[in-house]
Amino acid sequence: MADLKNAKILGGIGSILMLIGAFIPMVGGIVPLIGLILVIVGVYYIGEVTKDGSIFKNYLLSFILQIVAVVALFVIIIITIGATIGFSPMAFYDLAQSEAGVTDPTTVFGNIGALIGSCCLAIIVFWILMIVSSMFLRKSFKSISEHTNVGLFGTAGTVYLVGAGLLIIGVGAIVILIAIILQIVAFFQLPDALPTRSNPDSGKQDTGRKCPNCGRPIPMDSQVCPYCGKDFRPPAPKE
């Protein structure tokens, strides 16, 4: 059921698994993935409760871009290594037949510059995609923060973005771990229900009167809804 209580539990537990999963022997790659799936479901629940489709959409885009970044990194590196040492379909066939599937070692050393350049390209592509991914994640968390009044979501999103930017110099991974810790705390700070918005004119909480047009709480003496502009005043008498 889509509610903030379940979003708090799923998102909080999922974030914990994302943090500690990499340090669990044997199943380290599976645990963070399970955690990420739980977080995705939690974010989806928040989007359903707040009726803000951009929350889940932006987080899903962030997740997809992370996957693309990792795949691009490995594909570029593998293709580059294969091209550098001379692997080809015929080379693999020769390897199976004569246990000789690589070219002369001098060819490998001659192409070492191209290998390093291609690996650098793979890292740059990965880095750029991770930054873009973090931008969408930050948008999602910022929207959650606005709807739930949990400001730590916005902070976590900003730290994620900073961490992605610092990945190129190696310290970004540590910053991202800090962002995950903030994310854990933010999920467990979620209220059980959306906070009641204050009226813009009076600064007071819900008075019990609601606009018949948009359904939002309005001051008792309002003649015009401050949200949708619905006019409650009786029509002027005709002369």
Side-chain angles (χ1 to χ4, degrees):
M1 178 180 179
D3 57 38
L4 291 183
K5 291 182 180 179
N6 287 329
K8 177 193 298 186
I9 296 172
L10 292 174
I13 295 176
S15 300
I16 293 174
L17 293 178
M18 288 174 60
L19 179 64
I20 68 174
F23 304 100
I24 299 178
M26 303 300 293
V27 292
I30 299 176
V31 172
L33 179 60
I34 294 174
L36 183 56
I37 293 173
L38 292 177
V39 172
I40 291 174
V41 176
V43 172
Y44 172 76
Y45 282 176
I46 295 174
E48 288 292 297
V49 172
T50 60
K51 294 180 172 50
D52 186 347
S54 67
I55 291 176
F56 179 69
K57 177 182 177 181
N58 286 328
Y59 194 87
L60 187 61
L61 285 172
S62 172
F63 170 71
I64 292 173
L65 284 170
Q66 288 181 40
I67 298 298
V68 173
V70 173
V71 171
L73 176 66
F74 282 101
V75 167
I76 294 175
I77 291 177
I78 291 173
I79 291 177
T80 301
I81 293 175
T84 301
I85 66 177
F87 276 125
S88 65
M90 286 303 299
F92 281 113
Y93 176 78
D94 293 338
L95 179 64
Q97 297 297 320
S98 61
E99 299 182 357
V102 297
T103 58
D104 189 88
T106 57
T107 304
V108 176
F109 289 111
N111 293 332
I112 193 67
L115 175 62
I116 294 174
S118 297
C119 288
C120 289
L121 174 63
I123 293 173
I124 291 174
V125 171
F126 171 80
W127 177 52
I128 293 174
L129 288 173
M130 288 299 292
I131 291 176
V132 178
S133 169
S134 297
M135 292 173 65
F136 281 107
L137 185 147
R138 182 172 180 267
K139 287 182 180 180
S140 175
F141 277 11
K142 185 177 180 181
S143 297
I144 294 176
S145 178
E146 292 173 351
H147 284 290
T148 63
N149 289 342
V150 180
L152 206 54
F153 273 108
T155 304
T158 300
V159 176
Y160 263 116
L161 182 58
V162 173
L166 294 176
L167 280 174
I168 196 70
I169 60 175
V171 299
I174 298 175
V175 178
I176 290 176
L177 286 177
I178 296 173
I180 296 176
I181 294 173
L182 295 175
Q183 176 180 307
I184 293 170
V185 179
F187 268 108
F188 283 118
Q189 285 185 352
L190 278 174
D192 292 339
L194 289 178
T196 303
R197 299 293 180 182
S198 299
N199 294 321
D201 294 332
S202 64
K204 298 179 181 179
Q205 297 292 325
D206 189 357
T207 60
R209 183 187 180 195
K210 294 184 178 181
C211 172
N213 187 51
C214 68
R216 295 186 180 183
I218 58 176
M220 291 298 296
D221 57 350
S222 290
Q223 295 184 325
V224 177
C225 177
Y227 300 100
C228 67
K230 175 69 174 179
D231 193 341
F232 309 123
R233 292 172 293 190
K238 295 182 180 180
E239 297 182 357

